Amino acid sequence: MSYTTLMKGCVLTAALLITACAQSPQAIQVAPEFPAPTQVNGDGNPVHIRVSDQRANKVLGSRGGAYRETSVITLANDLSLPVETALSAYMAAMGYDVNSLDPNTTDVHVIFSSLVYDHPKEYGLGYDMDMMAGVEVEVRRGNEHYEGRYRIKRNQKFFNAPSNSHNSQLVNDLVAEVLVSMFSDPKLVAFLKRN
């Protein structure tokens, strides 16, 4: 085997290794799907739901690989509207009247303060993803108000890097999970049910 042929083979192998370690950027479409509610206790109480995105960092994280600074994960659409639509449907399934014109309607403002889906720089065997979602809720009715903060945080390990579709599913599941967790707050539920 000639020196030239050997060098071409080494260059090709190196290029393949670099390509294998690279991850392309991904923009995830927000479209959370909520599970069927475990409690149907809204009792027809009127609510108006608003969702806003107040995250300081709009990048969810990195997919890792050789160029982690450019293999970022972001959202393809605005977080507010699709989450607001899905959350309204979920609260309607819980028995709340989400389209009421009642003057005593409770205003439910959900604020996303963080959303993280990131492959850490240091990792061992397998493929780790750090996941975290944080929301604040401001609930007002007349002169009364209630505020709460909720957070989901976990690390999940995969054998290989998740695909685009798997990333999308995991991020949307995370969004739904943190919102479902709000309704395990008995003080929030009591406030929403108060007439």
Side-chain angles (χ1 to χ4, degrees):
M1 180 183 294
S2 70
Y3 177 77
T4 306
T5 306
L6 181 63
M7 287 306 296
K8 284 181 181 177
C10 289
V11 170
L12 180 60
T13 302
L16 288 172
L17 285 173
I18 290 171
T19 303
C21 294
Q23 294 279 354
S24 58
Q26 182 182 1
I28 289 174
Q29 193 79 22
V30 180
E33 294 183 7
F34 286 77
T38 56
Q39 296 182 356
V40 181
N41 54 7
D43 299 328
N45 287 312
V47 294
H48 173 70
I49 298 136
R50 295 183 293 135
V51 175
S52 61
D53 182 2
Q54 295 184 16
R55 294 174 297 138
N57 187 358
K58 303 301 185 187
V59 175
L60 303 186
S62 171
R63 301 182 74 176
Y67 308 100
R68 62 172 287 111
E69 291 77 17
T70 57
S71 61
V72 295
I73 304 173
T74 56
L75 298 181
N77 56 338
D78 179 63
L79 184 90
S80 305
L81 185 58
V83 174
E84 189 175 296
T85 301
L87 183 58
S88 295
Y90 181 68
M91 291 190 72
M94 293 174 68
Y96 292 96
D97 182 358
V98 297
N99 295 311
S100 176
L101 299 176
D102 190 312
N104 295 317
T105 295
T106 301
D107 183 69
V108 180
H109 184 196
V110 176
I111 302 161
F112 273 81
S113 55
S114 61
L115 187 59
V116 174
Y117 183 76
D118 184 48
H119 181 54
K121 290 181 182 178
E122 289 81 26
Y123 53 92
L125 295 175
Y127 193 94
D128 288 19
M129 290 303 292
D130 290 331
M131 305 180 198
M132 196 263 286
V135 297
E136 300 171 14
V137 65
E138 298 174 353
V139 189
R140 298 187 181 277
R141 182 177 51 249
N143 295 323
E144 298 179 290
H145 75 279
Y146 178 77
E147 296 181 2
R149 294 183 179 195
Y150 312 92
R151 188 170 79 155
I152 297 290
K153 184 177 183 180
R154 66 173 179 271
N155 175 275
Q156 195 161 337
K157 188 180 288 290
F158 303 91
F159 183 72
N160 292 312
S163 65
N164 284 12
S165 60
H166 198 181
N167 285 334
S168 296
Q169 177 190 337
L170 290 166
V171 169
N172 278 295
D173 287 351
L174 192 65
V175 168
E177 185 180 353
V178 72
L179 295 174
V180 169
S181 76
M182 287 193 321
F183 298 101
S184 63
D185 177 358
K187 292 182 179 179
L188 172 63
V189 174
F191 188 93
L192 290 171
K193 291 182 67 175
R194 199 180 308 154
N195 291 319

